[in-house]
Amino acid sequence: MGKQNYIECERKGLEKLINFRLPHYFYTIGILVAGLSIVLMFVRAFAMEGDTEWLKLILQKTLLVGMLFMSVSRDKDEDEMVVKLRMQSYTYAFVVGVIYALIMPYVEYGVSNAMKPEGEAFHDIGDFQLLLFMLMVQLMCFHALKRMR
Amino acid sequence: MENTIKVERAILNITQDDLAKKIGVSRQTINSIEANRYVPSTVLALKLSEIFRKPVNDFFKLSEND
């Protein structure tokens, strides 16, 4: 393989990695999966009896998968500006997510102990809570930035 | 970065939507470029140059802040 071919091959590989996004129809699939997960979460909480902890854990995961599909699928009118806005929204989500993970345990502990004297013990937030929050921030920021463009 | 894309577009008598379709972006992106809210990539600038049949420097100018 010549030097030029090698460079071209590397460039194509890098472009594939940079431009990775799911097709737009995954956005609709994501909405359906996330929506169905939320509905089933309510059904589990209010209409089901017995030990359904396993279902709760599965629904948490499907909700995250649905939101991830929404997050990484192409926009209907995808162009370089939309790509830039999406990257910016990931930056916001990451920064806000780190701040949330640092502050929220103290807020939860404070609120819990202020409400009742024997409040909850101090504990860090869970991975589901953090990932859900970051995905929500990313999706909201992305849509807000698109409206502002 | 300042630009005169709106003027160039008026010379060609084309709408933002027409220009957007010609260079393969959304109308909102053209609007953002015209309003100096977004600086396009070199690829997009060269596509615009092809449409306007002018060098990029003719319709993109560096401002004092750049």
Side-chain angles (χ1 to χ4, degrees), chain A residues 26-75:
Chain A
F26 271 89
Y27 188 81
T28 316
I29 294 172
I31 290 176
L32 290 173
V33 172
L36 198 65
S37 302
I38 292 168
V39 170
L40 287 174
M41 276 175 170
F42 277 105
V43 171
R44 188 203 74 88
F46 299 111
M48 285 175 82
E49 287 172 9
D51 183 22
T52 52
E53 192 64 21
W54 59 274
L55 183 61
K56 181 185 164 188
L57 295 174
I58 290 173
L59 291 174
Q60 284 182 346
K61 273 151 188 89
T62 52
L63 177 60
L64 289 179
V65 169
M67 290 179 80
L68 188 65
F69 278 174
M70 289 166 72
S71 176
V72 295
S73 59
R74 280 176 195 277
D75 200 60

mmCIF file of all heavy atoms in Angstrom, chain A residues 26-75:
data_model
loop_
_atom_site.group_PDB
_atom_site.id
_atom_site.type_symbol
_atom_site.label_atom_id
_atom_site.label_comp_id
_atom_site.label_asym_id
_atom_site.label_seq_id
_atom_site.Cartn_x
_atom_site.Cartn_y
_atom_site.Cartn_z
ATOM 1 N N PHE A 26 -34.484 6.202 13.530
ATOM 2 C CA PHE A 26 -34.183 5.765 14.897
ATOM 3 C C PHE A 26 -34.705 6.767 15.931
ATOM 4 O O PHE A 26 -34.925 6.416 17.090
ATOM 5 C CB PHE A 26 -32.670 5.563 15.080
ATOM 6 C CG PHE A 26 -32.228 4.172 14.734
ATOM 7 C CD1 PHE A 26 -31.862 3.851 13.436
ATOM 8 C CD2 PHE A 26 -32.193 3.174 15.698
ATOM 9 C CE1 PHE A 26 -31.469 2.569 13.105
ATOM 10 C CE2 PHE A 26 -31.806 1.890 15.372
ATOM 11 C CZ PHE A 26 -31.440 1.582 14.071
ATOM 12 N N TYR A 27 -34.897 8.013 15.491
ATOM 13 C CA TYR A 27 -35.458 9.026 16.398
ATOM 14 C C TYR A 27 -36.887 8.630 16.784
ATOM 15 O O TYR A 27 -37.260 8.674 17.959
ATOM 16 C CB TYR A 27 -35.434 10.405 15.730
ATOM 17 C CG TYR A 27 -35.809 11.525 16.663
ATOM 18 C CD1 TYR A 27 -34.871 12.065 17.541
ATOM 19 C CD2 TYR A 27 -37.104 12.034 16.693
ATOM 20 C CE1 TYR A 27 -35.214 13.079 18.419
ATOM 21 C CE2 TYR A 27 -37.451 13.048 17.563
ATOM 22 C CZ TYR A 27 -36.501 13.570 18.418
ATOM 23 O OH TYR A 27 -36.852 14.574 19.291
ATOM 24 N N THR A 28 -37.663 8.212 15.765
ATOM 25 C CA THR A 28 -39.047 7.777 16.013
ATOM 26 C C THR A 28 -39.056 6.515 16.873
ATOM 27 O O THR A 28 -39.851 6.401 17.810
ATOM 28 C CB THR A 28 -39.753 7.492 14.663
ATOM 29 O OG1 THR A 28 -39.432 8.552 13.765
ATOM 30 C CG2 THR A 28 -41.250 7.407 14.832
ATOM 31 N N ILE A 29 -38.155 5.577 16.537
ATOM 32 C CA ILE A 29 -38.061 4.342 17.342
ATOM 33 C C ILE A 29 -37.731 4.705 18.797
ATOM 34 O O ILE A 29 -38.332 4.173 19.733
ATOM 35 C CB ILE A 29 -36.986 3.387 16.761
ATOM 36 C CG1 ILE A 29 -37.412 2.880 15.383
ATOM 37 C CG2 ILE A 29 -36.749 2.198 17.702
ATOM 38 C CD1 ILE A 29 -36.345 2.088 14.636
ATOM 39 N N GLY A 30 -36.799 5.647 18.956
ATOM 40 C CA GLY A 30 -36.396 6.089 20.296
ATOM 41 C C GLY A 30 -37.562 6.669 21.087
ATOM 42 O O GLY A 30 -37.743 6.350 22.261
ATOM 43 N N ILE A 31 -38.373 7.511 20.404
ATOM 44 C CA ILE A 31 -39.546 8.110 21.070
ATOM 45 C C ILE A 31 -40.503 7.000 21.517
ATOM 46 O O ILE A 31 -40.998 7.019 22.651
ATOM 47 C CB ILE A 31 -40.267 9.093 20.127
ATOM 48 C CG1 ILE A 31 -39.406 10.347 19.916
ATOM 49 C CG2 ILE A 31 -41.634 9.495 20.696
ATOM 50 C CD1 ILE A 31 -39.990 11.337 18.928
ATOM 51 N N LEU A 32 -40.737 6.041 20.615
ATOM 52 C CA LEU A 32 -41.663 4.946 20.938
ATOM 53 C C LEU A 32 -41.154 4.114 22.124
ATOM 54 O O LEU A 32 -41.907 3.819 23.059
ATOM 55 C CB LEU A 32 -41.876 4.042 19.718
ATOM 56 C CG LEU A 32 -42.674 4.648 18.565
ATOM 57 C CD1 LEU A 32 -42.670 3.716 17.372
ATOM 58 C CD2 LEU A 32 -44.103 4.949 18.995
ATOM 59 N N VAL A 33 -39.866 3.752 22.075
ATOM 60 C CA VAL A 33 -39.285 2.932 23.150
ATOM 61 C C VAL A 33 -39.316 3.681 24.484
ATOM 62 O O VAL A 33 -39.750 3.137 25.509
ATOM 63 C CB VAL A 33 -37.832 2.511 22.788
ATOM 64 C CG1 VAL A 33 -37.151 1.835 23.968
ATOM 65 C CG2 VAL A 33 -37.826 1.580 21.590
ATOM 66 N N ALA A 34 -38.901 4.960 24.446
ATOM 67 C CA ALA A 34 -38.877 5.756 25.685
ATOM 68 C C ALA A 34 -40.304 5.972 26.207
ATOM 69 O O ALA A 34 -40.555 5.828 27.410
ATOM 70 C CB ALA A 34 -38.185 7.088 25.432
ATOM 71 N N GLY A 35 -41.227 6.312 25.306
ATOM 72 C CA GLY A 35 -42.622 6.551 25.699
ATOM 73 C C GLY A 35 -43.254 5.310 26.312
ATOM 74 O O GLY A 35 -43.879 5.375 27.377
ATOM 75 N N LEU A 36 -43.046 4.174 25.647
ATOM 76 C CA LEU A 36 -43.604 2.905 26.136
ATOM 77 C C LEU A 36 -43.004 2.542 27.510
ATOM 78 O O LEU A 36 -43.723 2.067 28.406
ATOM 79 C CB LEU A 36 -43.306 1.793 25.119
ATOM 80 C CG LEU A 36 -44.134 0.527 25.229
ATOM 81 C CD1 LEU A 36 -45.596 0.820 24.941
ATOM 82 C CD2 LEU A 36 -43.619 -0.523 24.249
ATOM 83 N N SER A 37 -41.719 2.811 27.661
ATOM 84 C CA SER A 37 -41.057 2.522 28.946
ATOM 85 C C SER A 37 -41.674 3.353 30.068
ATOM 86 O O SER A 37 -41.921 2.840 31.162
ATOM 87 C CB SER A 37 -39.559 2.824 28.858
ATOM 88 O OG SER A 37 -38.968 2.085 27.843
ATOM 89 N N ILE A 38 -41.926 4.647 29.780
ATOM 90 C CA ILE A 38 -42.502 5.530 30.806
ATOM 91 C C ILE A 38 -43.916 5.062 31.173
ATOM 92 O O ILE A 38 -44.272 4.989 32.354
ATOM 93 C CB ILE A 38 -42.499 6.998 30.320
ATOM 94 C CG1 ILE A 38 -41.054 7.519 30.221
ATOM 95 C CG2 ILE A 38 -43.314 7.897 31.266
ATOM 96 C CD1 ILE A 38 -40.892 8.833 29.496
ATOM 97 N N VAL A 39 -44.700 4.722 30.148
ATOM 98 C CA VAL A 39 -46.073 4.244 30.398
ATOM 99 C C VAL A 39 -46.040 2.984 31.269
ATOM 100 O O VAL A 39 -46.757 2.871 32.271
ATOM 101 C CB VAL A 39 -46.808 3.965 29.058
ATOM 102 C CG1 VAL A 39 -48.125 3.241 29.291
ATOM 103 C CG2 VAL A 39 -47.054 5.273 28.310
ATOM 104 N N LEU A 40 -45.159 2.037 30.896
ATOM 105 C CA LEU A 40 -45.062 0.785 31.664
ATOM 106 C C LEU A 40 -44.534 1.020 33.084
ATOM 107 O O LEU A 40 -44.894 0.291 34.011
ATOM 108 C CB LEU A 40 -44.185 -0.227 30.921
ATOM 109 C CG LEU A 40 -44.826 -0.848 29.676
ATOM 110 C CD1 LEU A 40 -43.829 -1.723 28.937
ATOM 111 C CD2 LEU A 40 -46.054 -1.671 30.046
ATOM 112 N N MET A 41 -43.720 2.062 33.257
ATOM 113 C CA MET A 41 -43.233 2.404 34.605
ATOM 114 C C MET A 41 -44.410 2.813 35.492
ATOM 115 O O MET A 41 -44.487 2.422 36.665
ATOM 116 C CB MET A 41 -42.217 3.551 34.523
ATOM 117 C CG MET A 41 -40.821 3.108 34.213
ATOM 118 S SD MET A 41 -39.746 4.520 33.991
ATOM 119 C CE MET A 41 -38.162 3.719 33.933
ATOM 120 N N PHE A 42 -45.336 3.614 34.908
ATOM 121 C CA PHE A 42 -46.530 4.025 35.655
ATOM 122 C C PHE A 42 -47.415 2.814 35.949
ATOM 123 O O PHE A 42 -47.935 2.682 37.058
ATOM 124 C CB PHE A 42 -47.316 5.089 34.879
ATOM 125 C CG PHE A 42 -46.773 6.468 35.079
ATOM 126 C CD1 PHE A 42 -46.030 7.101 34.090
ATOM 127 C CD2 PHE A 42 -46.999 7.151 36.276
ATOM 128 C CE1 PHE A 42 -45.511 8.374 34.283
ATOM 129 C CE2 PHE A 42 -46.481 8.426 36.482
ATOM 130 C CZ PHE A 42 -45.730 9.043 35.478
ATOM 131 N N VAL A 43 -47.575 1.943 34.945
ATOM 132 C CA VAL A 43 -48.408 0.743 35.124
ATOM 133 C C VAL A 43 -47.829 -0.121 36.255
ATOM 134 O O VAL A 43 -48.545 -0.577 37.147
ATOM 135 C CB VAL A 43 -48.493 -0.076 33.809
ATOM 136 C CG1 VAL A 43 -49.160 -1.430 34.041
ATOM 137 C CG2 VAL A 43 -49.254 0.712 32.748
ATOM 138 N N ARG A 44 -46.508 -0.285 36.220
ATOM 139 C CA ARG A 44 -45.843 -1.100 37.247
ATOM 140 C C ARG A 44 -46.033 -0.493 38.635
ATOM 141 O O ARG A 44 -46.297 -1.206 39.615
ATOM 142 C CB ARG A 44 -44.350 -1.214 36.929
ATOM 143 C CG ARG A 44 -43.599 -2.193 37.804
ATOM 144 C CD ARG A 44 -42.109 -1.878 37.868
ATOM 145 N NE ARG A 44 -41.836 -0.711 38.696
ATOM 146 C CZ ARG A 44 -41.640 -0.759 40.019
ATOM 147 N NH1 ARG A 44 -41.691 -1.902 40.661
ATOM 148 N NH2 ARG A 44 -41.390 0.340 40.709
ATOM 149 N N ALA A 45 -45.922 0.838 38.687
ATOM 150 C CA ALA A 45 -45.983 1.505 39.991
ATOM 151 C C ALA A 45 -47.396 1.494 40.592
ATOM 152 O O ALA A 45 -47.550 1.377 41.806
ATOM 153 C CB ALA A 45 -45.473 2.930 39.854
ATOM 154 N N PHE A 46 -48.417 1.659 39.746
ATOM 155 C CA PHE A 46 -49.770 1.848 40.283
ATOM 156 C C PHE A 46 -50.741 0.686 40.030
ATOM 157 O O PHE A 46 -51.766 0.615 40.681
ATOM 158 C CB PHE A 46 -50.381 3.137 39.710
ATOM 159 C CG PHE A 46 -49.591 4.358 40.074
ATOM 160 C CD1 PHE A 46 -48.869 5.061 39.104
ATOM 161 C CD2 PHE A 46 -49.539 4.801 41.394
ATOM 162 C CE1 PHE A 46 -48.122 6.181 39.447
ATOM 163 C CE2 PHE A 46 -48.799 5.923 41.735
ATOM 164 C CZ PHE A 46 -48.082 6.620 40.766
ATOM 165 N N ALA A 47 -50.424 -0.188 39.086
ATOM 166 C CA ALA A 47 -51.410 -1.225 38.747
ATOM 167 C C ALA A 47 -50.906 -2.653 38.913
ATOM 168 O O ALA A 47 -51.646 -3.589 38.680
ATOM 169 C CB ALA A 47 -51.895 -1.020 37.315
ATOM 170 N N MET A 48 -49.646 -2.798 39.291
ATOM 171 C CA MET A 48 -49.113 -4.161 39.422
ATOM 172 C C MET A 48 -48.785 -4.456 40.878
ATOM 173 O O MET A 48 -48.335 -3.573 41.618
ATOM 174 C CB MET A 48 -47.870 -4.344 38.536
ATOM 175 C CG MET A 48 -48.204 -4.468 37.053
ATOM 176 S SD MET A 48 -46.752 -4.530 36.023
ATOM 177 C CE MET A 48 -46.306 -6.238 36.142
ATOM 178 N N GLU A 49 -48.986 -5.680 41.242
ATOM 179 C CA GLU A 49 -48.675 -6.099 42.611
ATOM 180 C C GLU A 49 -47.582 -7.161 42.595
ATOM 181 O O GLU A 49 -47.277 -7.724 41.556
ATOM 182 C CB GLU A 49 -49.938 -6.658 43.270
ATOM 183 C CG GLU A 49 -50.932 -5.564 43.624
ATOM 184 C CD GLU A 49 -52.259 -6.116 44.090
ATOM 185 O OE1 GLU A 49 -52.364 -7.345 44.301
ATOM 186 O OE2 GLU A 49 -53.197 -5.317 44.225
ATOM 187 N N GLY A 50 -47.003 -7.394 43.746
ATOM 188 C CA GLY A 50 -45.952 -8.412 43.856
ATOM 189 C C GLY A 50 -44.568 -7.819 43.616
ATOM 190 O O GLY A 50 -44.408 -6.606 43.498
ATOM 191 N N ASP A 51 -43.590 -8.676 43.542
ATOM 192 C CA ASP A 51 -42.205 -8.226 43.367
ATOM 193 C C ASP A 51 -41.940 -7.924 41.888
ATOM 194 O O ASP A 51 -41.776 -8.838 41.080
ATOM 195 C CB ASP A 51 -41.250 -9.314 43.881
ATOM 196 C CG ASP A 51 -39.805 -8.853 43.796
ATOM 197 O OD1 ASP A 51 -39.585 -7.619 43.754
ATOM 198 O OD2 ASP A 51 -38.901 -9.705 43.756
ATOM 199 N N THR A 52 -41.930 -6.648 41.562
ATOM 200 C CA THR A 52 -41.711 -6.253 40.154
ATOM 201 C C THR A 52 -40.432 -5.421 40.018
ATOM 202 O O THR A 52 -40.305 -4.622 39.111
ATOM 203 C CB THR A 52 -42.909 -5.458 39.613
ATOM 204 O OG1 THR A 52 -43.180 -4.388 40.517
ATOM 205 C CG2 THR A 52 -44.133 -6.318 39.428
ATOM 206 N N GLU A 53 -39.509 -5.612 40.930
ATOM 207 C CA GLU A 53 -38.259 -4.858 40.899
ATOM 208 C C GLU A 53 -37.479 -5.139 39.601
ATOM 209 O O GLU A 53 -36.853 -4.246 39.043
ATOM 210 C CB GLU A 53 -37.416 -5.242 42.135
ATOM 211 C CG GLU A 53 -36.219 -4.331 42.402
ATOM 212 C CD GLU A 53 -36.582 -2.890 42.732
ATOM 213 O OE1 GLU A 53 -37.723 -2.635 43.148
ATOM 214 O OE2 GLU A 53 -35.715 -2.020 42.538
ATOM 215 N N TRP A 54 -37.538 -6.409 39.160
ATOM 216 C CA TRP A 54 -36.844 -6.796 37.918
ATOM 217 C C TRP A 54 -37.379 -5.997 36.711
ATOM 218 O O TRP A 54 -36.623 -5.570 35.846
ATOM 219 C CB TRP A 54 -37.014 -8.302 37.655
ATOM 220 C CG TRP A 54 -38.454 -8.728 37.527
ATOM 221 C CD1 TRP A 54 -39.292 -9.076 38.540
ATOM 222 C CD2 TRP A 54 -39.230 -8.792 36.328
ATOM 223 N NE1 TRP A 54 -40.537 -9.368 38.059
ATOM 224 C CE2 TRP A 54 -40.531 -9.201 36.702
ATOM 225 C CE3 TRP A 54 -38.948 -8.560 34.971
ATOM 226 C CZ2 TRP A 54 -41.553 -9.370 35.770
ATOM 227 C CZ3 TRP A 54 -39.969 -8.738 34.050
ATOM 228 C CH2 TRP A 54 -41.253 -9.138 34.452
ATOM 229 N N LEU A 55 -38.726 -5.764 36.723
ATOM 230 C CA LEU A 55 -39.337 -5.010 35.613
ATOM 231 C C LEU A 55 -38.893 -3.548 35.643
ATOM 232 O O LEU A 55 -38.616 -2.941 34.608
ATOM 233 C CB LEU A 55 -40.867 -5.108 35.709
ATOM 234 C CG LEU A 55 -41.657 -4.444 34.587
ATOM 235 C CD1 LEU A 55 -41.318 -5.074 33.237
ATOM 236 C CD2 LEU A 55 -43.158 -4.554 34.841
ATOM 237 N N LYS A 56 -38.795 -3.024 36.858
ATOM 238 C CA LYS A 56 -38.342 -1.635 37.024
ATOM 239 C C LYS A 56 -36.938 -1.450 36.429
ATOM 240 O O LYS A 56 -36.678 -0.498 35.697
ATOM 241 C CB LYS A 56 -38.332 -1.287 38.521
ATOM 242 C CG LYS A 56 -37.904 0.140 38.819
ATOM 243 C CD LYS A 56 -37.801 0.340 40.326
ATOM 244 C CE LYS A 56 -37.031 1.591 40.648
ATOM 245 N NZ LYS A 56 -36.763 1.693 42.081
ATOM 246 N N LEU A 57 -36.061 -2.414 36.727
ATOM 247 C CA LEU A 57 -34.682 -2.325 36.226
ATOM 248 C C LEU A 57 -34.629 -2.428 34.701
ATOM 249 O O LEU A 57 -33.883 -1.708 34.041
ATOM 250 C CB LEU A 57 -33.812 -3.428 36.854
ATOM 251 C CG LEU A 57 -33.607 -3.321 38.375
ATOM 252 C CD1 LEU A 57 -32.875 -4.529 38.917
ATOM 253 C CD2 LEU A 57 -32.850 -2.043 38.718
ATOM 254 N N ILE A 58 -35.474 -3.323 34.148
ATOM 255 C CA ILE A 58 -35.511 -3.469 32.684
ATOM 256 C C ILE A 58 -36.042 -2.184 32.042
ATOM 257 O O ILE A 58 -35.488 -1.693 31.053
ATOM 258 C CB ILE A 58 -36.380 -4.683 32.278
ATOM 259 C CG1 ILE A 58 -35.672 -5.977 32.671
ATOM 260 C CG2 ILE A 58 -36.675 -4.691 30.773
ATOM 261 C CD1 ILE A 58 -36.512 -7.227 32.479
ATOM 262 N N LEU A 59 -37.126 -1.633 32.620
ATOM 263 C CA LEU A 59 -37.729 -0.416 32.048
ATOM 264 C C LEU A 59 -36.776 0.778 32.127
ATOM 265 O O LEU A 59 -36.751 1.622 31.235
ATOM 266 C CB LEU A 59 -39.047 -0.095 32.754
ATOM 267 C CG LEU A 59 -40.179 -1.088 32.469
ATOM 268 C CD1 LEU A 59 -41.393 -0.781 33.324
ATOM 269 C CD2 LEU A 59 -40.555 -1.067 30.988
ATOM 270 N N GLN A 60 -35.992 0.832 33.204
ATOM 271 C CA GLN A 60 -34.983 1.904 33.314
ATOM 272 C C GLN A 60 -33.996 1.818 32.156
ATOM 273 O O GLN A 60 -33.623 2.821 31.559
ATOM 274 C CB GLN A 60 -34.240 1.792 34.646
ATOM 275 C CG GLN A 60 -35.059 2.279 35.829
ATOM 276 C CD GLN A 60 -34.289 2.201 37.137
ATOM 277 O OE1 GLN A 60 -33.238 1.562 37.224
ATOM 278 N NE2 GLN A 60 -34.823 2.842 38.163
ATOM 279 N N LYS A 61 -33.603 0.586 31.860
ATOM 280 C CA LYS A 61 -32.622 0.398 30.778
ATOM 281 C C LYS A 61 -33.232 0.709 29.412
ATOM 282 O O LYS A 61 -32.596 1.335 28.568
ATOM 283 C CB LYS A 61 -32.060 -1.025 30.810
ATOM 284 C CG LYS A 61 -30.877 -1.043 31.744
ATOM 285 C CD LYS A 61 -30.500 -2.139 32.442
ATOM 286 C CE LYS A 61 -29.430 -1.987 33.456
ATOM 287 N NZ LYS A 61 -29.900 -1.644 34.768
ATOM 288 N N THR A 62 -34.472 0.263 29.194
ATOM 289 C CA THR A 62 -35.099 0.535 27.881
ATOM 290 C C THR A 62 -35.346 2.028 27.698
ATOM 291 O O THR A 62 -35.242 2.547 26.589
ATOM 292 C CB THR A 62 -36.422 -0.242 27.712
ATOM 293 O OG1 THR A 62 -37.259 0.012 28.826
ATOM 294 C CG2 THR A 62 -36.189 -1.720 27.569
ATOM 295 N N LEU A 63 -35.658 2.731 28.801
ATOM 296 C CA LEU A 63 -35.831 4.189 28.714
ATOM 297 C C LEU A 63 -34.526 4.862 28.275
ATOM 298 O O LEU A 63 -34.529 5.731 27.388
ATOM 299 C CB LEU A 63 -36.295 4.744 30.074
ATOM 300 C CG LEU A 63 -36.449 6.264 30.174
ATOM 301 C CD1 LEU A 63 -37.479 6.782 29.173
ATOM 302 C CD2 LEU A 63 -36.856 6.687 31.587
ATOM 303 N N LEU A 64 -33.421 4.407 28.867
ATOM 304 C CA LEU A 64 -32.117 4.977 28.501
ATOM 305 C C LEU A 64 -31.773 4.656 27.041
ATOM 306 O O LEU A 64 -31.262 5.514 26.316
ATOM 307 C CB LEU A 64 -31.018 4.441 29.425
ATOM 308 C CG LEU A 64 -31.033 4.936 30.874
ATOM 309 C CD1 LEU A 64 -29.913 4.290 31.662
ATOM 310 C CD2 LEU A 64 -30.919 6.450 30.946
ATOM 311 N N VAL A 65 -32.081 3.426 26.614
ATOM 312 C CA VAL A 65 -31.790 3.038 25.220
ATOM 313 C C VAL A 65 -32.622 3.893 24.260
ATOM 314 O O VAL A 65 -32.110 4.398 23.255
ATOM 315 C CB VAL A 65 -32.073 1.529 24.995
ATOM 316 C CG1 VAL A 65 -32.038 1.172 23.520
ATOM 317 C CG2 VAL A 65 -31.052 0.675 25.743
ATOM 318 N N GLY A 66 -33.900 4.084 24.581
ATOM 319 C CA GLY A 66 -34.777 4.919 23.749
ATOM 320 C C GLY A 66 -34.253 6.337 23.623
ATOM 321 O O GLY A 66 -34.197 6.911 22.533
ATOM 322 N N MET A 67 -33.847 6.894 24.756
ATOM 323 C CA MET A 67 -33.319 8.271 24.735
ATOM 324 C C MET A 67 -31.982 8.345 24.010
ATOM 325 O O MET A 67 -31.680 9.334 23.352
ATOM 326 C CB MET A 67 -33.200 8.805 26.159
ATOM 327 C CG MET A 67 -34.552 9.059 26.790
ATOM 328 S SD MET A 67 -34.438 9.653 28.458
ATOM 329 C CE MET A 67 -34.081 11.370 28.191
ATOM 330 N N LEU A 68 -31.189 7.278 24.117
ATOM 331 C CA LEU A 68 -29.909 7.244 23.395
ATOM 332 C C LEU A 68 -30.149 7.219 21.883
ATOM 333 O O LEU A 68 -29.452 7.899 21.121
ATOM 334 C CB LEU A 68 -29.094 6.018 23.833
ATOM 335 C CG LEU A 68 -27.664 5.945 23.321
ATOM 336 C CD1 LEU A 68 -26.836 7.077 23.895
ATOM 337 C CD2 LEU A 68 -27.026 4.619 23.682
ATOM 338 N N PHE A 69 -31.141 6.447 21.442
ATOM 339 C CA PHE A 69 -31.514 6.431 20.016
ATOM 340 C C PHE A 69 -31.896 7.838 19.552
ATOM 341 O O PHE A 69 -31.487 8.288 18.490
ATOM 342 C CB PHE A 69 -32.703 5.489 19.782
ATOM 343 C CG PHE A 69 -32.339 4.028 19.670
ATOM 344 C CD1 PHE A 69 -33.317 3.053 19.587
ATOM 345 C CD2 PHE A 69 -31.022 3.610 19.643
ATOM 346 C CE1 PHE A 69 -32.996 1.698 19.480
ATOM 347 C CE2 PHE A 69 -30.681 2.263 19.546
ATOM 348 C CZ PHE A 69 -31.678 1.316 19.465
ATOM 349 N N MET A 70 -32.702 8.524 20.380
ATOM 350 C CA MET A 70 -33.111 9.892 20.036
ATOM 351 C C MET A 70 -31.891 10.813 19.958
ATOM 352 O O MET A 70 -31.810 11.696 19.121
ATOM 353 C CB MET A 70 -34.084 10.438 21.092
ATOM 354 C CG MET A 70 -35.444 9.793 21.066
ATOM 355 S SD MET A 70 -36.380 10.180 22.546
ATOM 356 C CE MET A 70 -36.770 11.889 22.262
ATOM 357 N N SER A 71 -30.942 10.570 20.856
ATOM 358 C CA SER A 71 -29.770 11.439 20.948
ATOM 359 C C SER A 71 -28.809 11.282 19.764
ATOM 360 O O SER A 71 -28.265 12.273 19.283
ATOM 361 C CB SER A 71 -29.049 11.138 22.262
ATOM 362 O OG SER A 71 -27.883 11.876 22.363
ATOM 363 N N VAL A 72 -28.607 10.039 19.313
ATOM 364 C CA VAL A 72 -27.577 9.817 18.280
ATOM 365 C C VAL A 72 -28.145 9.614 16.865
ATOM 366 O O VAL A 72 -27.404 9.263 15.965
ATOM 367 C CB VAL A 72 -26.632 8.635 18.622
ATOM 368 C CG1 VAL A 72 -25.825 8.917 19.852
ATOM 369 C CG2 VAL A 72 -27.405 7.340 18.776
ATOM 370 N N SER A 73 -29.458 9.852 16.708
ATOM 371 C CA SER A 73 -29.990 9.703 15.346
ATOM 372 C C SER A 73 -29.874 11.028 14.586
ATOM 373 O O SER A 73 -29.876 12.101 15.186
ATOM 374 C CB SER A 73 -31.448 9.249 15.389
ATOM 375 O OG SER A 73 -32.219 10.184 16.093
ATOM 376 N N ARG A 74 -29.770 10.897 13.285
ATOM 377 C CA ARG A 74 -29.630 12.080 12.423
ATOM 378 C C ARG A 74 -30.877 12.937 12.476
ATOM 379 O O ARG A 74 -31.979 12.430 12.668
ATOM 380 C CB ARG A 74 -29.425 11.657 10.971
ATOM 381 C CG ARG A 74 -28.041 11.243 10.661
ATOM 382 C CD ARG A 74 -27.941 10.749 9.227
ATOM 383 N NE ARG A 74 -26.701 10.036 9.054
ATOM 384 C CZ ARG A 74 -25.538 10.626 8.814
ATOM 385 N NH1 ARG A 74 -25.468 11.925 8.695
ATOM 386 N NH2 ARG A 74 -24.443 9.905 8.690
ATOM 387 N N ASP A 75 -30.671 14.252 12.257
ATOM 388 C CA ASP A 75 -31.802 15.168 12.171
ATOM 389 C C ASP A 75 -32.413 15.043 10.776
ATOM 390 O O ASP A 75 -31.769 14.537 9.861
ATOM 391 C CB ASP A 75 -31.285 16.591 12.387
ATOM 392 C CG ASP A 75 -32.387 17.526 12.782
ATOM 393 O OD1 ASP A 75 -33.020 17.296 13.816
ATOM 394 O OD2 ASP A 75 -32.627 18.490 12.033
#
